[in-house]
Amino acid sequence: MRALTWTGLSPPPPAMVARMMTTSKMVALRRMTPRKDRVCVRATASSSAAVSSGGVVEAVELAEIGDMSKKWTWKGEYSINYFVKSSPEEVTPASQTVLLVHGFGASIPHWRRNINALSKHHTVYAIDLLGFGASEKPPGFSYTMESWAELILNFLEEVVQKPTVLIGNSVGSLACVIAASESQRDLVKGLVLLNCAGGMNNKAVFDDWRIKLLMPLLLLIDFLLKQRGIASALFNRVKDRENLKNILTNVYSNKDNVDDILVEIIAGPANSEGALDAFVSILTGPPGPNPITLIPGITKPVLVLWGDQDGLTPLDGPVGKYFTSLPDQLPNFNLYVLEGVGHCPQDDRPDLVHERLLPWLAQLSST
């Protein structure tokens, strides 16, 4: 049995929310062994010859990210924080422009272990979605997956202004999928999905008996979160640094990467004005379009990387099973399952991610 845990980088499971509201035990969900015949390739730590077994990579300092960040006004109203590193060592026909899109509760610095590796040969943009990081958190805003997808497309059109590879984690991946499916221009050149979420929150059922079983609890949580005092108390517990570090230690396979910097990346923005409203709106709002209905309409090249120790979007769940079946169905899909990696592969084991991502980007121009 694997206890259901929350990384702080995807909407917290209903069982965890209930546990924070009460003293009841955390719900445990059974984790089945994924079917290997549905998986393209399984990547392990031993397969990475260029990086040490500890998965250590060069990370960008938070101060550098802060100093290089810029502001863009979305829809003439909302301040959006973004970062760009556009001085690759070698510009070749294989050089790409990429946009990094974080997951729930995270922000641009969650890509700090990936930016340097990518920027050696590519132009790297990263964005704080509305409601996260240093971007605005407007009071009363109703957050939806569709609004984040619209933000991404508008950013590509107004700021990047060239075909771009979207790279997302968790709900950031889903936002990228929606953006690619809705793009009416040649703005999206390809997709990289890291443990793609099934919805903005846990109300995205996908015929999962586990979520169906918890649906009454989900509805109760929705009601309780709309009570300001209860929501505030829960949010204060969620963003407590000691709680966050304990949770992250349980879900990251590479414990060395669960450091005080990671905790600060998640906890820091949660103390800014509007963060509580964003938290409540995201957890109680509609789950949004599901990737299962959108993926068949995407013809651009897609790379899927999936940590097999993910308790939030597990391989044996409906979304995980669907994605592992895609290489047999769609010629534009490549899938790699990363062994011993959790919900946030880019930070948990960036070496394994780079091993698959960098060659895929290099050959993208010829596809």
Side-chain angles (χ1 to χ4, degrees):
M1 303 286 285
R2 179 180 173 86
L4 183 64
T5 52
W6 178 50
T7 64
L9 306 167
S10 181
M16 174 158 286
V17 176
R19 174 177 173 270
M20 291 178 174
M21 290 178 172
T22 67
T23 58
S24 61
K25 293 184 178 180
M26 188 180 298
V27 173
L29 299 182
R30 185 184 177 198
R31 239 185 149 279
M32 299 168 58
T33 302
R35 290 178 54 191
K36 294 186 179 181
D37 62 324
R38 304 301 291 186
V39 177
C40 181
V41 176
R42 302 185 71 87
T44 66
S46 61
S47 68
S48 181
V51 186
S52 68
S53 60
V56 178
V57 299
E58 181 186 3
V60 179
E61 296 292 334
L62 297 193
E64 179 182 352
I65 293 176
D67 291 343
M68 294 178 63
S69 291
K70 303 179 181 182
K71 298 295 183 182
W72 164 64
T73 302
W74 181 41
K75 293 187 173 183
E77 184 175 3
Y78 304 115
S79 176
I80 301 299
N81 187 59
Y82 74 96
F83 170 93
V84 58
K85 194 165 185 177
S86 57
S87 300
E89 294 177 359
E90 182 181 0
V91 178
T92 71
S95 296
Q96 308 294 338
T97 298
V98 304
L99 174 62
L100 308 177
V101 184
H102 62 80
F104 177 85
S107 55
I108 293 169
H110 200 221
W111 300 98
R112 70 197 189 284
R113 304 186 199 276
N114 317 108
I115 290 171
N116 281 336
L118 286 166
S119 64
K120 287 180 180 178
H121 299 289
H122 310 288
T123 299
V124 179
Y125 286 84
I127 193 170
D128 284 340
L129 294 174
L130 188 73
F132 296 112
S135 285
E136 191 171 346
K137 304 166 185 65
F141 188 88
S142 295
Y143 293 89
T144 65
M145 292 304 312
E146 293 91 337
S147 63
W148 286 330
E150 182 184 8
L151 185 156
I152 290 170
L153 289 176
N154 291 163
F155 183 78
L156 295 183
E157 183 173 4
E158 297 180 21
V159 180
V160 182
Q161 298 184 342
K162 62 180 65 175
T164 301
V165 178
L166 302 180
I167 304 177
N169 173 229
S170 188
V171 293
S173 281
L174 180 55
C176 291
V177 169
I178 299 170
S181 69
E182 294 182 349
S183 177
Q184 299 299 313
R185 299 176 55 189
D186 195 20
L187 295 173
V188 179
K189 188 173 184 179
L191 289 174
V192 180
L193 310 177
L194 307 175
N195 290 64
C196 185
M200 188 172 74
N201 50 48
N202 290 285
K203 291 194 289 292
V205 176
F206 297 117
D207 295 325
D208 190 332
W209 67 268
R210 293 168 290 196
I211 298 298
K212 286 183 176 180
L213 186 65
L214 294 171
M215 189 57 69
L217 179 60
L218 285 171
L219 297 176
L220 174 61
I221 290 170
D222 273 12
F223 171 78
L224 293 175
L225 285 175
K226 291 174 182 177
Q227 316 306 310
R228 188 76 179 184
I230 295 175
S232 180
L234 171 62
F235 189 54
N236 286 335
R237 293 198 63 184
V238 167
K239 67 181 182 179
D240 177 80
R241 284 169 169 77
E242 184 176 353
N243 286 342
L244 283 175
K245 190 161 189 175
N246 288 337
I247 293 167
L248 289 162
T249 299
N250 288 331
V251 300
Y252 268 53
S253 67
N254 184 3
K255 311 302 181 184
D256 291 338
N257 283 0
V258 183
D259 52 19
D260 291 338
I261 295 175
L262 175 60
V263 173
E264 178 59 27
I265 288 170
I266 301 169
N271 290 314
S272 58
E273 185 177 358
L276 172 59
D277 289 342
F279 176 79
V280 172
S281 176
I282 292 165
L283 290 187
T284 61
N290 71 69
I292 293 176
T293 62
L294 298 177
I295 288 294
I298 294 176
T299 58
K300 301 294 184 181
V302 181
L303 173 66
V304 179
L305 303 177
W306 211 284
D308 72 344
Q309 297 302 305
D310 185 357
L312 293 165
T313 50
L315 280 172
D316 67 294
V319 179
K321 286 181 178 178
Y322 174 73
F323 274 98
T324 56
S325 73
L326 290 177
D328 294 334
Q329 302 177 34
L330 302 174
N332 58 319
F333 269 75
N334 288 288
L335 168 75
Y336 298 96
V337 173
L338 308 180
E339 290 191 344
V341 181
H343 187 65
C344 307
Q346 79 279 9
D347 193 49
D348 192 342
R349 288 303 307 269
D351 54 316
L352 296 184
V353 170
H354 298 162
E355 184 182 64
R356 302 300 177 181
L357 173 59
L358 297 178
W360 185 83
L361 287 172
Q363 58 80 41
L364 189 59
S365 60
S366 62
T367 60

